[in-house]
Amino acid sequence: MSFCPERCTLGIEFGSTRIKAVLIGPDHAPLAQGDYTWENRLENGVWTYPESEIWAGLQAAYAALAADVQARFGQPLTTVGCLGVSAMMHGYLAFDENDALLVPFRTWRNTITGPAAEALTEAFGFNIPQRWSIAHLYQAMLNKEEHLPRLRFFTTLAGFVHWKLTGRKVLGVGDASGMFPIDSAATDYDKDLLARFNGMAARAGYPVDAAALLPAVLPAGAEAGTLTPEGARLLDPTGTLQPGCPLCPPEGDAGTGMAATDSVAPRTGNVSAGTSIFAMVVLERPLRRVYPEIDLVTTPDGAPVAMVHCNNCTSDLNAWVDLLAQAAALGGTAPDKGALFTKLFELSLQGAPDAGGIVPVNYYSGEGVTHFDAGCPLLLRGPESAFTLPNLMRAHIYSAMATLALGLDILHGEEVAVDTLTGHGGLFKTPGVAQRYLAAAAAAPVTVRQTAGEGGPYGMALLAAYALNKAPGETLAAYLHERVFAGAPASTLAPTEADRAGFTAFLGRYRGALQAERAALQAENRG
């Protein structure tokens, strides 16, 4: 197979548990990949990743991809046509005038900004969730944190990495929409709300120009800099990768999920499911009122999107699969983890539609949709529950999407139209299982494509391809729908009556189990 790297694009995404790099060819098919596993840490009450691991993980993921290219095509990777970086949205990375990190990276997973989020939501008339960057900044002001007088810039993880690779402090509009509210007509921060924030900051004792602290906003396809010599060495310390390739605007994992699923046009939506789970629905009209459970963000080209974001998805499910693997090892078998996941997911299809009365609460951390500031995984069952392995697995997969279903109920009440949801991320790797359950949970058809398991980094590579290949006037929606996904293999499942009734019964029990979750947190003095 001939290999022309100048026609390929590279997407690198910093996910919650993996940093993954995906290289795609001119036909948009994945050619090579590499990854690095990492985990957030709870240090001094803050979920964080150490700065050193950001760069170690980036280099390891890229090195694995470069080795994959060498093995497949027999040549080193010296350049690409365009490169893009994406990452978990939101959070807080603050820097001084010397570009030094002022406090440890505060990730999206933190629920430590409640007073700030509440005050900003009331002042703006616009929902500001706790994980948003501006909530972290304002909470730091309310807390009188000592680093604030030295603050000169703050950004997201994607913006930080892009800055170090190119020297430019910019952000794609989709990721920027999780830092501060966006005016979709201007594809920029809302000027009226910037002025309102400046007034609030001054009254808190920290007069600032918020616009000067934030990264510049760019839409999909815009010129966003080139790989500098320093950036090339940071990405590839071997010196094989040469500087000079263009980069597209850095994006958040919500934007890459939309790109990876052809979900940037009105009436389209997607669900990304991994450590967190969130649904994105591109709106035809504004919502009738402000909902604390619903984020208003944008597509990578600036269109308004309703987002239901849940902090907790697969962490508890993964822990149970690890436990079952340990049990298997006692019998002298060391199962392949990927194969075990597949077998257990398929086994869940033999479970009862309502999971037999078993109810896990999968909260490792706080959850904005249900108004929890902390989490404590629970497993509840009664003496009459059918405690079987198929039911247990079905219950855990249901639990991974239960809080999302509670948020989607709000959009159903708003009569938000969506023709189909497209699922992507690790939860959908086993064909026909999570897809089927999500259709029941969302009461809508769910489509899964062959690239569902690639998720965000594949979407980032597509955004890089759009920047490299777009024709004059060609929109992102047209590029994805007509050039990338036209005729692409996909499967669509509509909810069955039995699954819908079963999930509804499970969700009723799940709502009740949240009372036990609150009681458990109160008993531990955590909630």
Side-chain angles (χ1 to χ4, degrees):
M1 180 188 300
S2 63
F3 175 63
C4 180
E6 293 84 359
R7 299 183 63 200
C8 300
T9 58
L10 173 60
I12 301 173
E13 181 157 288
F14 289 75
S16 302
T17 58
R18 284 196 305 166
I19 302 170
K20 188 173 180 182
V22 171
L23 185 73
I24 66 173
D27 62 351
H28 307 103
L31 297 177
Q33 66 179 39
D35 65 7
Y36 172 83
T37 300
W38 69 342
E39 279 288 349
N40 54 189
R41 308 174 187 179
L42 186 61
E43 296 181 352
N44 300 315
V46 174
W47 290 103
T48 188
Y49 298 85
E51 183 182 2
S52 60
E53 196 172 6
I54 294 172
W55 308 121
L58 173 66
Q59 291 167 3
Y62 179 82
L65 176 129
D68 196 18
V69 169
Q70 181 72 50
R72 290 174 184 268
F73 303 105
Q75 66 184 76
L77 188 61
T78 59
T79 190
V80 293
C82 189
L83 189 158
V85 176
S86 57
M88 303 166 278
M89 288 178 68
H90 318 297
Y92 185 68
L93 282 152
F95 302 89
D96 66 15
E97 61 183 5
N98 297 314
D99 297 335
L101 189 64
L102 290 168
V103 292
F105 172 31
R106 299 171 184 177
T107 78
W108 59 270
R109 197 169 197 174
N110 288 287
T111 49
I112 55 176
T113 65
E118 184 177 345
L120 290 168
T121 297
E122 181 177 356
F124 288 1
F126 185 103
N127 183 36
I128 302 295
Q130 288 201 47
R131 65 187 177 279
W132 278 38
S133 304
I134 198 63
H136 281 277
L137 175 59
Y138 191 55
Q139 188 65 52
M141 293 176 174
L142 296 180
N143 293 345
K144 307 293 183 185
E145 295 193 25
E146 64 87 23
H147 76 274
L148 289 174
R150 294 175 286 139
L151 177 67
R152 296 295 180 270
F153 175 63
F154 74 119
T155 189
T156 65
L157 180 54
F160 179 36
V161 176
H162 181 94
W163 166 31
K164 293 304 179 182
L165 295 181
T166 65
R168 293 189 58 180
K169 296 177 179 179
V170 300
L171 206 58
V173 62
D175 203 9
S177 71
M179 290 194 76
F180 194 90
I182 293 290
D183 176 354
S184 287
T187 320
D188 204 349
Y189 303 114
D190 187 302
K191 290 183 178 179
D192 290 341
L193 297 186
L194 284 172
R196 206 169 299 178
F197 177 81
N198 290 343
M200 296 174 69
R203 289 190 291 274
Y206 297 97
V208 296
D209 177 4
L213 296 177
L214 288 158
V217 179
L218 296 175
E223 187 275 324
T226 58
L227 187 65
T228 64
E230 297 79 10
R233 287 194 299 272
L234 181 61
L235 185 55
D236 180 17
T238 71
T240 305
L241 180 66
Q242 299 301 299
C245 75
L247 273 77
C248 65
E251 262 300 344
D253 49 0
T256 59
M258 286 185 271
T261 56
D262 192 17
S263 302
V264 300
R267 299 178 67 94
T268 63
N270 78 92
V271 173
S272 174
T275 302
S276 63
I277 185 169
F278 51 84
M280 314 285 296
V281 178
V282 185
L283 297 173
E284 293 182 293
R285 59 167 179 80
L287 299 182
R288 287 188 285 265
R289 67 179 183 84
V290 176
Y291 294 93
E293 302 86 358
I294 306 294
D295 295 18
L296 291 177
V297 292
T298 78
T299 63
D301 54 354
V305 173
M307 177 182 191
V308 180
H309 184 286
C310 308
N311 289 347
N312 299 277
C313 183
T314 61
S315 293
D316 195 34
L317 171 62
N318 294 343
W320 277 86
V321 173
D322 285 342
L323 185 69
L324 293 171
Q326 293 173 37
L330 287 175
T333 302
D336 174 83
K337 190 65 69 66
L340 181 60
F341 266 101
T342 298
K343 289 180 179 180
L344 290 171
F345 268 55
E346 291 173 344
L347 183 66
S348 74
L349 295 172
Q350 300 176 24
D354 68 347
I358 301 170
V359 186
V361 178
N362 60 324
Y363 289 3
Y364 268 58
S365 63
E367 193 58 79
V369 171
T370 47
H371 312 292
F372 280 83
D373 290 332
C376 174
L378 297 178
L379 180 67
L380 302 179
R381 62 188 179 96
E384 75 287 350
S385 300
F387 193 51
T388 66
L389 188 55
N391 281 341
L392 179 69
M393 287 307 303
R394 189 157 181 153
H396 277 295
I397 302 171
Y398 276 5
S399 178
M401 54 187 68
T403 303
L404 181 79
L406 297 176
L408 288 174
D409 281 348
I410 296 171
L411 296 185
H412 292 321
E414 278 272 352
E415 299 179 347
V416 170
V418 58
D419 295 328
T420 186
L421 288 171
T422 301
H424 73 111
L427 196 66
F428 299 100
K429 281 188 175 182
T430 302
V433 181
Q435 177 186 9
R436 171 176 162 179
Y437 300 156
L438 179 61
V446 174
T447 297
V448 173
R449 304 185 186 278
Q450 286 186 349
T451 52
E454 302 296 341
Y458 176 67
M460 193 67 243
L462 291 179
L463 290 173
Y466 173 66
L468 180 65
N469 301 319
K470 71 182 187 302
E474 186 176 23
T475 65
L476 177 61
Y479 184 89
L480 293 173
H481 195 65
E482 297 168 13
R483 290 219 238 172
V484 178
F485 293 107
S491 68
T492 300
L493 293 179
T496 68
E497 185 174 335
D499 284 346
R500 181 64 185 150
F503 187 87
T504 299
F506 172 87
L507 192 63
R509 297 190 188 103
Y510 190 89
R511 288 179 189 270
L514 293 180
Q515 298 179 37
E517 175 78 5
R518 292 193 190 280
L521 291 169
Q522 289 169 2
E524 293 186 350
N525 295 317
R526 296 174 57 200

